[in-house]
Amino acid sequence: MSRRLAPQLIEIIDRSQTVTFKFDGQTYTAYPGDTIASALAAANVHTLSRSFKYHRPRGLLCCAGHCPNCLVQVGGEMNVRACTEPVQEGMTVRPQNVWPSLNYDLMALTALGDRFLPVGFYYKTFIRPQFLWPVYEHFLRHAAGLGEIKPDTPWDQYDKQYLHADVVVIGGGPAGMSAAVAAVAQGARVLLFDDQPHPGGHTRYTRVESDQLAVIREQLAVSSNLKPQTWNSKLETHFNSTILGWWEDNWLAGVCGRRLYKIRAQAVVIATGAYEQPLLFDNNDLPGILLGSAVQRLLHLYGVAPGQRAVVITANDEGWQVAADLLAAGVQVLAVADEQPGRENQWVAQIAAANVPIYWGHTIRAATGRSQVKGAILTPIPVSPKKSAQDKLTSCDLIALSVAWTPASGLLYQAGGKLAYQEAAAEFRPNHIPPKVFVAGRVNGTYNLEAALTEGEMAGRNAAAYTGYGQPAPPINLPPEPRRSSTQIIVPGQKKQFLCYCEDVTAKDLQTAIAEGYDSIELLKRYSTISMGPCQGKLCSANTVHLCARANEQTIEQTGTTTARPPMTPVKLGVLAGQTMEPVSYTPIHDWHEQNGGKMMVAGLWLRPEHYGDPVAEVQAVRQRVGLIDVSTLGKLRFTGPGVPRLLDRIYSNKWQKLERGRVRYGIMCNDEGVILDDGVTARVGEQEWYTTVTSSGATSVYEYVQWWLQSGWGEGVHLTNVTEGNAAFNLAGPQARAVLQTLTQADVSNQAFPYLHVRDLTLARVPCRVMRLGFTGELAYEIHCPASYGLYLWQTILAAGEAHGIRPFGVEAQRVLRLEKAHIIVGQDTDALSDPIAADMGWAVKLDKESFLGQRPLTRITKEGPKQKLVGFTMINPQIVPDEGLQIVRPNPDSPLGLEIIGWVTSSRFSPTLNQAIGLCWLPVSLAEQPGTPFTIRMNGKLVEACVHHGPFYDPEGVRLRG
Amino acid sequence: MMNEPGKLTPIFTLAQKSGARFELRDGWQIAAAFAPSAIEQAAAQQHVALADCSANGKLIVEGTQVEKVIQALGELPELAIGQGAAASPHHIFRLRQDQFFISTPIGEEGAVQEQLHAAAAPLVSLITFTPITHGRAELWLVGPQAAELLSRLCGLDFHDQQFPNLSARQSSVAKTRQLILRRDLGQLPAYALIGGRSLAAYLWETIMVCGRDLPIQPIGFSTIEKLLNL
């Protein structure tokens, strides 16, 4: 039977079309604009899911996206709130937390043993015997949690957006709208956020209207009639958008669907409204018990009657309006119970005229029914602890609760606001508003529509004035508000009275916890997990405070409130992650590498070819013929100015003042503790121009390090530019390198004209290049730097020119072997955060006799005292065994674990195809390192293997080949 | 393999895969068009378009007396840091008190450098010229939704009040360092993202994914020139 009503004045569904969707295997029809919950309510489906702990049937309660009662699984997405999720054609919706089915859930049997499952039972029950914990864990993990994660769920696109405004208004109800319009009128740039799809707040479904509100609606529409994507509008409205939290300096985070907003505001107007609160009575979680505002939403926005026979429980005017609305919609109202002894408003007369029984001074003791509401037991106030002869059972299928409100003050708390309990209103009210924050509307206790509009206008004007637009509003006194919240929110009872719908915490649970000593509100929260579920305390915090106060015989003020923390609503991890953004740097030759079999490896942000299929053949090509490697990733710095030699003298450990134009020199850069930071070569390419290469990984850090010194007093006569990206760089290495180079230029590149450690600006294949003769690989080699845009052309041209000489591209792996054969270090691999050049056996690059340089003092001390460890080469006794890099070097010591003492470690190791043996570099105590041939032991896969110390390069120790 | 020395932008391969039509300009292979001109223009005028303008000349001039040198390019207003001005056909932006960025049409940076070099010759203080055309990519986001798209990638405020035409900011865009220049094409908002060449392909692809819903359209250099002359 359909519960759909005739078209309503303000409904948001489109009855001209229909959509079909599935819920729990059944097909249902809905209208565009329906939510999953409204469509199911129209189809007379009461139960949407099962509760977390006791698997009790749960149906719609708030219809506003606040409570956990309607969490469902939509396709692969779990914990979707059915009351706010628009229904879509073909959607597959399943209830959560049910086994085997929604209507017959065997897990509901847990309720039979509920006395063994009080709050906090998991802290006490499963800790002994300890060996059974894996068994407990297995079952608990299966029983806990909501929904089903499907690992094969396709990726969704998430993103983030940064927004800026003078004034951010949070809440699109009457006060928020009024604030936004007022702030815009004063010239401020305003962002308005509301979690509902349309502006209006409660006026959308309560149908209250005023001339002033109509004007503001019109102004809002005019101010924001530019589409949201029009960047320069004064007012941007963001609906279906929830502000998740407030951080220092009005830094807000918001979420809209799959987008995270990061918002910076100069001033914030909090007009977040209030949450309607449930009442604590027996069986207060049965499907068919709805908050009054939920009833109105269903009636007016979706044209759905939530029941046929209703009982309304109220403590305010809103409840009477709900009753009148139900009557107007054709729902039979069987009783209205008001805790007050009498009341005057326009609806009371309507209800009385319709001959609806009215119970003044009454409330509800219990709801009856198993899977849904069958009746309501009304009882007079004060409520007797046990059933009374005055109790009246009214058969019904709907209980509407309009008994209390609590301000939506979470963001205000986060912003540093304070609230105090007002006995007269039976609600918390702000009593301290921090600077840059303004408050208006229900969150401030202002429920009256005209007053809320006025207060909103004042807040908007004041916020705009705070940001420098216009003048603040003069203070005015608003009319006093009648009390809207009950002081009788806890009704004595015998059955389950649910305080926390998220975690199935009952009033009795809380009383037990308090009796156990968890009597402070913060402790109670942590112990019971109340307010820590999907509702984040929206429907339970206020009632918890009341109950805690009563149990402790304290006042509400003495009891206090819990801390409000972000996020205000559950947020998907995908939203927090946003779009995948992992920067990758490509050299100008990247595509060629990929197309020619390069196996790419990650090196910092860069992708580099590790090899092209056969690294041994690549090593042999360099040793025997010629090879070409892409070293565009090298850091490249350009120094200009007369002050450069002095600067280089200060930042490098060797001397630079006398380096002649056209010469290249290797240098080690240390920090002021003498620790090696980086190394590289510097070429003097002009009288006042120097070109430096640093390690690929050090490009940015060295640039920033040197910049720091330049800006700290060493910048006189020096300009520094990072030109890493501007030049592609290749190393042409091997005995045939000169022959290949010569085919590309008419310049004389003979050993006499272009000797080792010299630099030349040459034109190669019509491309302007800077060529340095270096020897990292131990062969005759030229490092060719050219403008990056010519990189691919020159690379291909060199390979073509080298074809006749057997040229072969080589990758990082071959380069590592080649440099290891020469015992050249790699900073960061062979050195660490404690390595100095003396210990690294590079004392030849430290000139202590120059004026002053970074690390001079510690290096002088180390030179004088001698290092404790040294970096040396080693060969293996069994030349076929290659120890892994990082392995420990040990010696026997009965006092150490395993009887072995760690005395060093391997930093580099490879099998050398040139020498046909394993070689490496390692750190050893000086006593072992000093004498070549000294044996030592490496612990490898639990076994001990023998190696011996080697001094100097393994290959071409005299350096004949690279100088040739 | 190319027979002539050819200059390739970092977007060359991506543009090739997208079916771009290329033209040779001053030795550069530039993506002239990705789609028919009318489609590209409409995309830029109605939504947002992305263009590779990396071949544009780019020059950094630095020195304590750099302001005097810059005047060689024409009568320029006094520029605050972050402000720019047109010195047709070039554009000049002040990045620091002692540093200017100059954007030139393709292939004209050499001539500009010579002109400035001559102006710097009589000065005693150190002036350094660094051509960065090859080292920096230049991606343009053009269209009414360009700011919307940028706000998804960068924390700056792109509102007209905060980031007017002919202004420059240095910030992170999609986790990469970029110099962002606002250089409207007539009434059409346009932003040039100038950043490391090696990261340009990543940035291009990230922007295309991020702007998919707007929708975003890659456009060629020819369309940029047409929009400039509208």
Side-chain angles (χ1 to χ4, degrees), chain B residues 126-158:
Chain B
L126 176 64
I127 301 286
T128 297
F129 301 90
T130 310
I132 56 166
T133 306
H134 297 275
R136 298 283 189 278
E138 184 173 336
L139 308 184
W140 278 53
L141 275 168
V142 184
Q145 289 174 310
E148 156 91 14
L149 176 53
L150 271 172
S151 74
R152 300 178 188 179
L153 300 162
C154 173
L156 292 180
D157 186 353
F158 291 96

Coordinates of all heavy atoms in Angstrom, one line a residue, chain B residues 126-158:
Chain B
L126 N 76.3 44.1 -10.2 CA 76.2 42.8 -10.8 C 74.7 42.6 -11.4 O 73.8 42.7 -10.6 CB 76.5 41.7 -9.9 CG 76.3 40.2 -10.3 CD1 77.3 39.9 -11.5 CD2 76.6 39.3 -9.2
I127 N 74.6 42.3 -12.6 CA 73.3 42.0 -13.2 C 73.5 40.6 -13.9 O 74.4 40.4 -14.7 CB 72.9 43.0 -14.3 CG1 72.7 44.4 -13.7 CG2 71.5 42.5 -14.9 CD1 71.6 44.6 -12.8
T128 N 72.6 39.7 -13.6 CA 72.7 38.3 -14.1 C 71.4 38.0 -15.0 O 70.3 38.3 -14.5 CB 72.8 37.3 -13.0 OG1 74.0 37.5 -12.3 CG2 72.8 35.9 -13.6
F129 N 71.7 37.5 -16.2 CA 70.6 37.1 -17.1 C 70.6 35.6 -17.1 O 71.6 35.0 -17.4 CB 70.8 37.7 -18.5 CG 70.9 39.2 -18.5 CD1 72.2 39.8 -18.4 CD2 69.8 40.0 -18.7 CE1 72.3 41.2 -18.4 CE2 69.9 41.3 -18.7 CZ 71.1 41.9 -18.5
T130 N 69.4 35.0 -16.9 CA 69.4 33.6 -17.0 C 68.2 33.2 -17.9 O 67.0 33.3 -17.5 CB 69.1 32.9 -15.6 OG1 70.1 33.4 -14.7 CG2 69.3 31.4 -15.6
P131 N 68.5 32.7 -19.1 CA 67.4 32.2 -20.0 C 66.9 30.9 -19.4 O 67.7 30.0 -19.1 CB 68.1 32.0 -21.3 CG 69.5 32.5 -21.2 CD 69.8 32.5 -19.7
I132 N 65.6 30.9 -19.2 CA 65.0 29.6 -18.6 C 64.0 29.0 -19.6 O 63.2 28.2 -19.1 CB 64.4 29.9 -17.2 CG1 63.4 31.0 -17.3 CG2 65.5 30.3 -16.2 CD1 62.5 31.1 -16.1
T133 N 64.0 29.4 -20.8 CA 63.0 28.8 -21.8 C 63.1 27.3 -21.8 O 62.0 26.7 -21.8 CB 63.4 29.4 -23.2 OG1 63.4 30.8 -23.1 CG2 62.3 28.9 -24.2
H134 N 64.3 26.8 -21.8 CA 64.4 25.3 -21.9 C 64.1 24.6 -20.6 O 63.7 23.4 -20.6 CB 65.8 24.9 -22.4 CG 66.1 25.4 -23.7 ND1 65.7 24.8 -24.9 CD2 66.7 26.6 -24.1 CE1 66.1 25.5 -25.9 NE2 66.7 26.6 -25.5
G135 N 64.3 25.3 -19.5 CA 64.2 24.6 -18.2 C 62.8 24.7 -17.6 O 62.5 24.0 -16.7
R136 N 62.0 25.6 -18.1 CA 60.7 25.8 -17.5 C 59.6 25.6 -18.6 O 59.6 26.1 -19.7 CB 60.5 27.3 -17.0 CG 61.4 27.7 -15.9 CD 61.0 27.1 -14.6 NE 61.8 27.6 -13.5 CZ 63.0 27.2 -13.2 NH1 63.6 26.2 -13.9 NH2 63.7 27.8 -12.2
A137 N 58.6 24.8 -18.2 CA 57.4 24.6 -19.0 C 56.5 25.7 -18.8 O 56.6 26.4 -17.8 CB 56.8 23.3 -18.7
E138 N 55.6 26.0 -19.7 CA 54.6 27.0 -19.6 C 53.3 26.5 -20.1 O 53.1 26.3 -21.3 CB 55.1 28.3 -20.4 CG 54.2 29.5 -20.2 CD 54.7 30.7 -20.9 OE1 55.9 30.8 -21.1 OE2 53.9 31.6 -21.3
L139 N 52.4 26.2 -19.1 CA 51.1 25.7 -19.4 C 50.1 26.7 -19.2 O 50.1 27.4 -18.1 CB 50.8 24.4 -18.6 CG 51.8 23.3 -18.6 CD1 51.3 22.1 -17.8 CD2 52.2 22.9 -20.0
W140 N 49.2 26.9 -20.1 CA 48.2 28.0 -19.9 C 46.8 27.4 -19.7 O 46.4 26.5 -20.4 CB 48.1 28.8 -21.2 CG 49.2 29.9 -21.3 CD1 50.5 29.7 -21.2 CD2 49.0 31.3 -21.6 NE1 51.2 30.9 -21.3 CE2 50.3 31.9 -21.6 CE3 47.9 32.1 -21.8 CZ2 50.4 33.2 -21.8 CZ3 48.0 33.4 -22.0 CH2 49.3 34.0 -22.0
L141 N 46.2 28.0 -18.7 CA 44.8 27.6 -18.4 C 43.9 28.8 -18.8 O 44.1 29.9 -18.3 CB 44.5 27.3 -16.9 CG 44.8 25.9 -16.5 CD1 44.9 25.8 -15.0 CD2 43.8 24.9 -17.1
V142 N 43.0 28.6 -19.7 CA 42.3 29.8 -20.3 C 40.8 29.5 -20.2 O 40.4 28.4 -20.5 CB 42.6 29.9 -21.8 CG1 41.9 31.2 -22.4 CG2 44.1 30.0 -22.0
G143 N 40.0 30.5 -19.8 CA 38.6 30.3 -19.8 C 37.9 30.8 -18.5 O 38.6 31.0 -17.5
P144 N 36.6 30.9 -18.6 CA 35.9 31.4 -17.4 C 36.0 30.5 -16.2 O 35.8 30.9 -15.1 CB 34.5 31.5 -17.9 CG 34.4 30.7 -19.1 CD 35.7 30.7 -19.7
Q145 N 36.3 29.2 -16.5 CA 36.4 28.3 -15.3 C 37.9 28.0 -15.0 O 38.1 27.0 -14.2 CB 35.7 27.0 -15.7 CG 34.2 27.2 -15.7 CD 33.4 26.0 -16.1 OE1 33.7 25.4 -17.1 NE2 32.4 25.6 -15.4
A146 N 38.8 28.7 -15.5 CA 40.2 28.5 -15.2 C 40.5 28.7 -13.7 O 41.2 27.9 -13.1 CB 41.1 29.4 -16.0
A147 N 39.9 29.7 -13.1 CA 40.2 29.9 -11.7 C 39.6 28.8 -10.9 O 40.2 28.4 -9.9 CB 39.6 31.3 -11.3
E148 N 38.4 28.4 -11.3 CA 37.7 27.3 -10.5 C 38.6 26.0 -10.6 O 38.9 25.4 -9.5 CB 36.4 27.0 -11.2 CG 35.8 25.6 -11.0 CD 34.9 25.5 -9.8 OE1 34.5 26.5 -9.3 OE2 34.7 24.3 -9.4
L149 N 39.2 25.8 -11.7 CA 40.1 24.6 -11.8 C 41.3 24.8 -11.0 O 41.8 23.9 -10.3 CB 40.4 24.4 -13.3 CG 41.3 23.2 -13.6 CD1 40.9 21.9 -13.0 CD2 41.5 23.0 -15.1
L150 N 41.9 26.0 -11.1 CA 43.1 26.2 -10.3 C 42.9 26.1 -8.8 O 43.8 25.6 -8.1 CB 43.7 27.6 -10.7 CG 44.6 27.7 -11.9 CD1 44.9 29.1 -12.2 CD2 45.9 26.9 -11.6
S151 N 41.7 26.5 -8.4 CA 41.4 26.4 -7.0 C 41.4 25.0 -6.5 O 41.4 24.7 -5.3 CB 40.1 27.1 -6.6 OG 39.0 26.4 -7.1
R152 N 41.3 24.0 -7.4 CA 41.3 22.6 -7.0 C 42.8 22.1 -6.8 O 43.0 21.0 -6.4 CB 40.6 21.8 -8.0 CG 39.1 22.1 -8.1 CD 38.5 21.2 -9.2 NE 37.2 21.7 -9.5 CZ 36.4 21.1 -10.4 NH1 36.8 20.1 -11.1 NH2 35.2 21.6 -10.7
L153 N 43.7 22.9 -7.3 CA 45.1 22.4 -7.4 C 46.0 23.3 -6.6 O 47.2 22.9 -6.3 CB 45.6 22.5 -8.9 CG 44.8 21.6 -9.8 CD1 45.1 22.0 -11.3 CD2 45.2 20.1 -9.7
C154 N 45.5 24.4 -6.1 CA 46.4 25.4 -5.5 C 45.7 26.2 -4.5 O 44.5 26.5 -4.6 CB 46.9 26.4 -6.7 SG 47.8 27.7 -6.1
G155 N 46.3 26.5 -3.4 CA 45.7 27.2 -2.3 C 45.5 28.7 -2.4 O 45.0 29.3 -1.5
L156 N 46.0 29.2 -3.5 CA 45.9 30.7 -3.6 C 44.4 31.1 -3.8 O 43.6 30.3 -4.3 CB 46.7 31.2 -4.8 CG 48.2 31.1 -4.6 CD1 48.9 31.6 -5.9 CD2 48.7 31.8 -3.4
D157 N 44.2 32.4 -3.6 CA 42.9 33.0 -3.8 C 42.9 33.6 -5.3 O 43.6 34.5 -5.5 CB 42.6 34.0 -2.8 CG 41.1 34.6 -2.9 OD1 40.4 34.2 -3.9 OD2 40.7 35.4 -2.1
F158 N 42.1 33.0 -6.1 CA 42.2 33.4 -7.5 C 41.1 34.4 -7.9 O 40.8 34.7 -9.0 CB 42.1 32.2 -8.5 CG 43.3 31.4 -8.4 CD1 43.4 30.3 -7.6 CD2 44.4 31.7 -9.2 CE1 44.5 29.5 -7.5 CE2 45.6 31.0 -9.1 CZ 45.7 29.9 -8.3

